[in-house]
Amino acid sequence: MAKTILITGCSSGIGYDAAHGLQKAGWKVLATCRREEDCARLRSEGLISFPLDLSDPASIEAGFNEALARANGRLDALYNNAAYGCPGAAEDLPPGALREIFETNLFGLHDLTIRAIKVMRAYGENGEGRIIQCSSVLGLVGIRWRGAYVATKFALEGLTEVMRREMRDTGIHIITLNPGPIPTKIRVNSIPHFEKWIDWKVSARREQYETSLLKRLYSPSGKPDMFELPCSAVTDQILRALTDPKPKSHYYVTKATWLAAIARRILPLRAQDWMFSKA
């Protein structure tokens, strides 16, 4: 019988590719999105899809209950993919922007995670299952203009590390996935959050916004980022994380992520600052 995985954030990009890729690999995929219209599109493509919005506790509860009903009460894996960015200089981020992004990228994710753990504990002698948390290269290094997103991913890295150690006496594996540059809609999807929260015209960094961030947001070059890989490269690593007999704590995707992981270990802070100031 096919194993079942619940995935969040499947409307496009990494989640979309993972949903289709894992289904082709023989998994029963429960592909969720924030909006019903996106779920309807996925259903038309042959996926099982229903709404689950990590910013809404009621939607999390309803979506998780729907997942259990679709899976006959058993959930073998959870891939927490959904997240968004709110670009802007850290000094221009109002507290409300941080509260809002943490609600989706960490608090809602954690709510779904602990619900899954409670279900997985019922399998086998000590529980059984795999939970993959989608972090980022920005969960390893802080890069300018991305303070809000970086903060959520650093927090996710820490919370996941603790949970991984605490769950070692069970059969439930907690795994971190760290994609680097991947062509997704995260940049486009971040624009409404930037426009809602960042008053760049009165910022002390207005000139820097005009020469850097605004061009990246509104007039991208169209060229691939350095070390960029397709979404399928992430799906390949998800499959490894789900099937490796002894899964790793972290699965890195793209050379940029490997370099960031190595740099944190061996380079002094000044060298790290120089290396990542170019991003």
Side-chain angles (χ1 to χ4, degrees), residues 79-214:
Y79 173 42
N80 271 313
N81 170 71
Y84 73 87
C86 180
E91 67 182 290
D92 296 329
L93 283 169
L98 290 179
R99 292 189 188 100
E100 189 172 87
I101 195 171
F102 266 85
E103 192 65 49
T104 292
N105 292 12
L106 189 71
F107 303 152
L109 177 152
H110 184 64
D111 185 348
L112 193 59
T113 297
I114 60 178
R115 289 173 188 270
I117 287 174
K118 289 176 182 177
V119 172
M120 292 175 178
R121 277 189 174 275
Y123 314 146
E125 184 177 347
N126 296 308
E128 182 179 308
R130 300 198 179 189
I131 296 174
I132 304 174
Q133 311 289 43
C134 191
S135 181
S136 169
V137 62
L138 300 183
L140 303 174
V141 296
I143 295 178
R144 62 179 183 168
W145 304 119
R146 297 153 173 96
Y149 187 80
V150 167
T152 65
K153 294 305 183 181
F154 267 59
L156 178 60
E157 290 277 346
L159 182 61
T160 303
E161 183 172 331
V162 170
M163 186 171 287
R164 182 184 302 118
R165 293 176 179 176
E166 291 175 346
M167 298 301 290
R168 281 178 180 163
D169 62 348
T170 76
I172 303 169
H173 297 280
I174 313 292
I175 301 159
T176 305
L177 183 72
N178 294 88
I182 304 290
T184 72
K185 292 183 178 179
I186 190 168
R187 186 181 305 164
V188 172
N189 291 341
S190 73
I191 291 175
H193 302 284
F194 171 74
E195 293 177 346
K196 175 181 178 180
W197 291 108
I198 306 300
D199 193 358
W200 64 270
K201 291 181 180 179
V202 299
S203 171
R205 299 186 181 277
R206 174 171 177 162
E207 183 177 346
Q208 293 175 18
Y209 278 100
E210 292 174 330
T211 58
S212 179
L213 181 60
L214 295 183

Side-chain angles (χ1 to χ4, degrees), residues 247-268:
K248 301 175 183 178
S249 63
H250 287 72
Y251 287 80
Y252 301 128
V253 189
T254 78
K255 289 182 180 179
T257 312
W258 281 102
L259 290 172
I262 293 169
R264 287 190 68 194
R265 293 187 178 96
I266 65 174
L267 291 182

Side-chain angles (χ1 to χ4, degrees), residues 47-67:
L47 290 167
I48 301 171
S49 185
F50 46 90
L52 197 160
D53 182 351
L54 290 180
S55 69
D56 181 354
S59 179
I60 295 171
E61 181 175 11
F64 188 72
N65 289 341
E66 176 76 7

